[in-house]
Amino acid sequence: SRKPKPKAKAKTKEEDEEAKKYCAIIRSSQLGRTINDARTMILVWITEMNSATATAGTAAALTFGLAWLAYRSWSKKAACPNAEPSDDPLKQGFSMKKIPQNLDAVVIGSGLGGLTTAALLAKEGKRVLVLEQHDIAGGNLHTFVEKGYEFDTGLHYVGARVGDKRAPLRKLLDYVSDESVEWAQLEDDYDVASSGDDEYHIYSGWAKVKKELKASFPEEGAAIDKYFEVVHRTGEYLFPALTVLKMLPEPAFNACMWLFSRQFAIFDKTTNQVLETLTSNRKLMGVLAYHFGDYGEFPGRGAFVMHAVLASHFRSGAYYPIGGPTAIAASIVRLIERWGGRVMVRSPVESILIDEKDRACGVLVKGREIFAKSVVSSVGAPATMTKLLPESHRGLVSRQIDAMKDPDVASFGSLMSLFVGINDADKSLELPRRNYWVHKTWDHDENLAEMIEDRNDLPAFFVSFSSAKDPTYKERHPGKQVALVIGACAYEDVEKFKDDRVKHQSE
């Protein structure tokens, strides 16, 4: 009984000419931004890196990358947006009729990684299809509403000066979202780490953090200064340098890693291993590693490089997307649709299709074969290799599969979320725009060991208030506030529910 949609109005000659001009503007501005940003990055790295890292090899690699990007931008025909986005972009169900013809790429998973990849491909003129098994796109960006309360699920704060339109991360996010997402800054002390009566505020800017730490640990001043120096060097120079070097051919990359083996040796160390070279004060070590939950591993297991990257990421404070994390996902999906792509939910990929040359050529969804020139999986290496790759071809990646089974490499532990709705009918409740990390003691790995023995003995939990961080929340959900509590748990304790439907657990 639905009314047929009116046919799209044909473009006039004047409109076609205007579209061509628009594409030319896009092409030239993208090239200009690419050259300017890359040139700035090269100059910053060369002038600020220490002499051991700022070498001719790194500069050459960066220059080569700039030249390649410039050539790509100049030589490639600019693509233009030519489609209208759907009314509800995050909930478009699977339909073979709506799949673009002659697909260039299928992206499995609609988390931020998958959506960003699809958006970049779409803006390069590629026909892209994103497939998501959940009933809403966005992965950890998605939110849900329960009894009038809206809860976020995975994104709780972002750093890297994302509130500043000049910041590199902001430019990247603006590029894949058409500059449609704005950001609200959290409190100056965006994180509070505590254990018992001990409480430490983590401020925007390291100067305040150093001052508070040195006041609490007066004999550890040198260790505190050294810690921030190592974090700065690892998170802001070595990690980006490694990212660039990974773009080189494998022989060149291996040669660079051998040449700079001393500088990159820190990549093989855990957070605890690095902290133990700076201080013997276990409490200080625990305070410095308070945010290990952000990278999902306890300090005794987690790589220090990830610790350093996250600490550097929040150096200038933290922000929250206005309109909630869903605003990011919706804006990227709309962009993908405008550029001719599609994002479909309730579309579980059963298998990756492999051709006679052992190359991925498509996917199988609900018994339907969908072919594409490229397949991108953003659901993680374990799931991709052990579930989506056909058993007949898993031997091709047997070495990687075996490596992921190594207890020192495999993901460890799980998290449980508690969603709390708060009735604020008189609108008098003023919740803080910050996060709280509450630890049993400052020895995080010992806390974990005790939880393994006693599952009710939580080592730590995280508390956040998205209704306070998002300035539009109270307008969208008047009289309501929310809190989120995240704590560690063991998968074995909930494994019995894995085949049950949501809200229909068997026990």
Side-chain angles (χ1 to χ4, degrees), residues 267-270 273 296-303 402-412:
F267 280 47
D268 295 326
K269 298 184 181 298
T270 67
Q273 286 174 333
E297 284 288 2
F298 281 76
R301 283 177 47 90
D402 290 340
M404 289 186 291
K405 295 177 182 178
D406 184 340
D408 291 331
V409 176
S411 179
F412 180 79

Side-chain angles (χ1 to χ4, degrees), residues 97-125:
K97 295 180 181 179
K98 295 182 179 180
I99 296 176
Q101 297 296 312
N102 301 317
L103 284 172
D104 290 298
V106 169
V107 178
I108 306 171
S110 69
L112 183 55
L115 291 181
T116 299
T117 301
L120 293 172
L121 290 171
K123 294 189 77 169
E124 283 286 300

Side-chain angles (χ1 to χ4, degrees), residues 42-85:
I42 290 174
L43 290 174
V44 168
W45 282 2
I46 291 178
T47 56
E48 292 190 11
M49 278 183 175
N50 58 39
S51 58
T53 308
T55 62
T58 303
L62 290 170
T63 304
F64 172 79
L66 168 61
W68 182 81
L69 288 172
Y71 172 76
R72 286 268 299 171
S73 298
W74 173 80
S75 63
K76 191 170 183 65
K77 182 180 179 181
C80 303
N82 57 8
E84 290 296 325

Side-chain angles (χ1 to χ4, degrees), residues 157 191 227 287-295 307 310-311 437 439:
Y157 59 148
D191 269 351
Y227 164 78
V287 174
L288 294 175
Y290 82 93
H291 67 292
F292 65 85
D294 274 339
Y295 50 93
H307 174 94
L310 264 296
W437 296 86
H439 301 278

Side-chain angles (χ1 to χ4, degrees), residues 203-211 228 231-232 236 311-312 315:
Y203 295 93
S204 305
W206 284 348
K208 291 182 181 178
V209 182
K210 288 182 183 180
K211 182 178 180 180
F228 283 100
V231 164
H232 178 63
E236 299 189 29
S312 299
R315 177 177 183 174

Side-chain angles (χ1 to χ4, degrees), residues 22 71 121-122 142-143 192 295 298 334 378 382 385 431 439 479:
Y22 176 60
Y71 172 76
L121 290 171
H142 91 271
T143 60
V192 175
Y295 50 93
F298 281 76
R334 290 191 185 99
S378 69
M385 295 181 182
L431 295 174
H439 301 278

Side-chain angles (χ1 to χ4, degrees), residues 45 123 139 161 178 230 232 279 295 317 320 340 351 354 356 374 464 469 502 504:
W45 282 2
K123 294 189 77 169
R161 298 187 297 112
D178 275 349
V230 174
H232 178 63
T279 179
Y295 50 93
Y320 191 80
S351 176
I354 308 295
E356 65 280 359
S374 301
S464 179
K469 293 185 287 188
V502 176
H504 292 82

Side-chain angles (χ1 to χ4, degrees), residues 274-431:
V274 173
L275 294 179
E276 286 169 352
T277 67
L278 305 177
T279 179
S280 59
N281 189 314
R282 307 301 295 185
K283 180 178 178 181
L284 175 60
M285 290 174 57
V287 174
L288 294 175
Y290 82 93
H291 67 292
F292 65 85
D294 274 339
Y295 50 93
E297 284 288 2
F298 281 76
R301 283 177 47 90
F304 176 76
V305 62
M306 289 308 303
H307 174 94
V309 167
L310 264 296
S312 299
H313 179 78
F314 290 109
R315 177 177 183 174
S316 300
Y319 299 80
Y320 191 80
I322 296 176
T326 296
I328 303 174
S331 64
I332 299 177
V333 173
R334 290 191 185 99
L335 180 144
I336 293 169
E337 290 186 340
R338 277 198 298 272
W339 291 77
R342 281 287 178 181
V343 178
M344 295 182 177
V345 301
R346 299 186 297 281
S347 308
V349 174
E350 300 164 27
S351 176
I352 295 174
L353 302 177
I354 308 295
D355 65 15
E356 65 280 359
K357 296 182 179 180
D358 292 333
R359 297 180 301 190
C361 63
V363 295
L364 184 68
V365 180
K366 297 184 176 181
R368 304 288 192 92
E369 293 182 337
I370 302 172
F371 294 97
K373 297 175 183 177
S374 301
V375 177
V376 179
S377 176
S378 69
V379 300
T384 302
M385 295 181 182
T386 63
K387 295 181 179 180
L388 299 183
L389 198 63
E391 288 189 29
S392 58
H393 288 75
R394 290 177 191 172
L396 298 173
V397 291
S398 59
R399 181 171 59 85
Q400 291 87 341
I401 292 175
D402 290 340
M404 289 186 291
K405 295 177 182 178
D406 184 340
D408 291 331
V409 176
S411 179
F412 180 79
S414 302
L415 298 174
M416 180 77 76
S417 297
L418 172 66
F419 301 98
V420 183
I422 305 170
N423 187 345
D424 187 26
D426 58 2
K427 302 179 182 180
S428 61
L429 185 61
E430 293 294 334
L431 295 174

